[in-house]
Amino acid sequence: MTTNTPYRAIFCDLRTDRTIDILPLRDVTVDDYIGKPGSLSGTVPLPDAAMAARARRIEEGRTAVYLQRGNDLWWGGVIWTSTLQSDDRGVLSLGIQAATFESYASRRRIRATFSYSNTDQLAIARNLWTRLQTSLSGGDIGVSYGTETSQQYRSVSYRDGDETVYLEAIDALAAQDNGFEHHIAVYRDPATGARVRRLRLGSPQIKIGTTDLVLDRPGTILSYSFPRDATRGGTTARARGASDNTNQAVESRPLYSTEKTAQSLIDAGYPRIDLSSDHNDVSSLSVLESLATAELAEATGAVVIPEISIRLDDLVPPALLGRTVRLRITDEWWTEGLDARYRIIGVKVSPAQRGRPDTAELYLEEI
């Protein structure tokens, strides 16, 4: 990141969000996704002792970092590792690696016994975050919540001593048939200007915006790829869970779902390709049935996740995840012209530097 870049790196205390400093950050790459933590990597140059003293205030696991473009927050997360480096000329720099605020839930474990019975799955996800932040001192990192509902009810229990990771508990809940998506968005409150960390939930999907973002090639789209991967897909699926008995004198076998089959594809001439997944902490047959159904729906046939690279300009909004785009491409492959709608499920931003334009790679899901 150079001095004329529209980006700023704002370093804050993780628990209080108090600003520590605004430091230069070069060689920056950031990505963000629906349903899993995104990452940031970059380097703080240390040309003199004064800058080094400022950078020493960064504490791994305690410091948050935001990437701000213009007046908008484009990324926020927790700094987990840093590397102090000196090259052969004695030039110092501090490399940092951070992950979005979801990653905090991957560093926390459930250490209590509690359960939910016939409860909306989004209410369970919110309550898990509430427990994570409020049940014990030192756990509140300022994530706020909405009031989304799904009308999909679940029963689930957790036991002290199982050391279940909070993020894994939320992911397991979300992965079931008719499940949900989750993402922590960062933005500035339009009324106060304060930074906000907001848990967004959507069932079955997170969708934002009321109008399509139109992207053209030739035009805004710089490049694209449409990978099709049959090794990640299938036409049948089965989910396996925990052991079905506790008698050590008898052979232990896992519980397993019935085989779910994409019969329409097989009838159309596709071969049987089997998917299987293990869920060692699941002892409910109904949950395994739901997981198998969801996994087949997610990976029926060949898996396709289109990627496009666009030039960032003032017409591209910061809140991209969950937004619907209308993709229009005309070239030698799409001679008749592609005109299709997709949803953005991942974003990777590369700030302009060394003559490279300000770009974003968008990962898409067909609607």
Side-chain angles (χ1 to χ4, degrees), residues 201-220:
L201 300 169
S203 178
Q205 297 176 331
I206 292 173
K207 293 184 179 180
I208 65 171
T210 57
T211 59
D212 291 352
L213 179 64
V214 180
L215 301 174
D216 294 294
R217 180 179 172 91
T220 306

Side-chain angles (χ1 to χ4, degrees), residues 32-37 102 120-126 129 144-150 152 154 167 169-185 198-208 294 297-298 305 320-324 342-346 363-367:
D32 200 2
Y33 306 94
I34 289 176
K36 67 175 183 179
E102 292 93 335
D120 190 296
Q121 59 185 350
L122 302 191
I124 296 175
R126 272 194 300 274
W129 262 100
S144 60
Y145 324 102
T147 58
E148 305 97 334
T149 59
S150 71
Q152 184 68 49
R154 310 286 188 194
L167 186 59
I170 294 169
D171 287 341
L173 194 65
Q176 296 187 48
D177 188 29
N178 296 316
F180 62 92
E181 293 180 334
H182 60 95
H183 173 252
I184 295 179
R198 181 80 162 190
L199 175 65
R200 285 180 173 160
L201 300 169
S203 178
Q205 297 176 331
I206 292 173
K207 293 184 179 180
I208 65 171
E298 183 74 17
I305 303 179
L320 290 170
L321 289 178
R323 184 174 293 273
T324 299
Y342 297 84
R343 188 172 64 104
I344 301 173
I345 58 174
Y363 304 95
L364 308 177
E365 175 183 77
E366 191 170 4
I367 296 177

Side-chain angles (χ1 to χ4, degrees), residues 50-327:
M51 183 61 74
R54 293 168 63 185
R56 277 200 297 270
R57 300 174 66 190
I58 296 173
E59 296 184 66
E60 304 77 14
R62 183 178 175 179
T63 304
V65 59
Y66 295 94
L67 195 65
Q68 180 171 307
R69 185 177 189 267
N71 294 321
D72 298 316
L73 296 179
W74 277 68
W75 194 95
V78 186
I79 297 175
W80 290 112
T81 64
S82 69
T83 305
L84 178 63
Q85 301 177 83
S86 173
D87 65 16
D88 55 4
R89 295 173 298 168
V91 176
L92 293 177
S93 62
L94 183 70
I96 63 169
Q97 296 79 40
T100 49
F101 291 110
E102 292 93 335
S103 66
Y104 180 67
S106 71
R107 307 298 301 171
R108 296 289 309 281
R109 296 179 182 270
I110 296 175
R111 291 178 174 169
T113 298
F114 57 92
S115 63
Y116 303 94
S117 177
N118 198 32
T119 304
D120 190 296
Q121 59 185 350
L122 302 191
I124 296 175
R126 272 194 300 274
N127 192 262
L128 286 171
W129 262 100
T130 301
R131 282 182 171 272
L132 179 156
Q133 293 196 106
T134 63
S135 61
L136 297 169
S137 62
D140 190 355
I141 64 166
V143 174
S144 60
Y145 324 102
T147 58
E148 305 97 334
T149 59
S150 71
Q151 304 304 310
Q152 184 68 49
Y153 299 95
R154 310 286 188 194
S155 295
V156 63
S157 60
Y158 305 98
R159 296 183 305 178
D160 189 11
D162 286 351
E163 293 292 282
T164 303
V165 175
Y166 272 97
L167 186 59
E168 292 177 1
I170 294 169
D171 287 341
L173 194 65
Q176 296 187 48
D177 188 29
N178 296 316
F180 62 92
E181 293 180 334
H182 60 95
H183 173 252
I184 295 179
V186 296
Y187 57 92
R188 289 194 179 276
D189 185 293
T192 67
R195 292 182 291 262
V196 177
R197 308 168 184 177
R198 181 80 162 190
L199 175 65
R200 285 180 173 160
L201 300 169
S203 178
Q205 297 176 331
I206 292 173
K207 293 184 179 180
I208 65 171
T210 57
T211 59
D212 291 352
L213 179 64
V214 180
L215 301 174
D216 294 294
R217 180 179 172 91
T220 306
I221 300 173
L222 300 175
S223 62
Y224 71 82
S225 66
F226 280 72
R228 302 182 64 87
D229 188 352
T231 67
R232 295 174 55 192
T235 50
T236 79
R238 169 171 278 172
R240 300 196 308 171
S243 170
D244 61 359
N245 73 73
T246 57
N247 186 351
Q248 295 183 358
V250 179
E251 180 187 6
S252 179
R253 301 269 303 166
L255 287 170
Y256 55 87
S257 70
T258 56
E259 182 185 64
K260 309 300 179 181
T261 305
Q263 193 62 45
S264 61
L265 289 185
I266 292 176
D267 292 345
Y270 286 83
R272 295 182 73 90
I273 299 176
D274 300 324
L275 298 171
S276 180
S277 61
D278 290 311
H279 309 271
N280 296 329
D281 57 345
V282 176
S283 56
S284 167
L285 189 56
S286 63
V287 171
L288 292 174
E289 295 285 346
S290 180
L291 288 167
T293 299
E295 288 159 4
L296 182 60
E298 183 74 17
T300 299
V303 175
V304 185
I305 303 179
E307 304 173 19
I308 64 171
S309 177
I310 65 171
R311 187 188 306 273
L312 286 181
D313 56 32
D314 293 338
L315 299 178
V316 179
L320 290 170
L321 289 178
R323 184 174 293 273
T324 299
V325 299
R326 182 181 176 189
L327 211 59

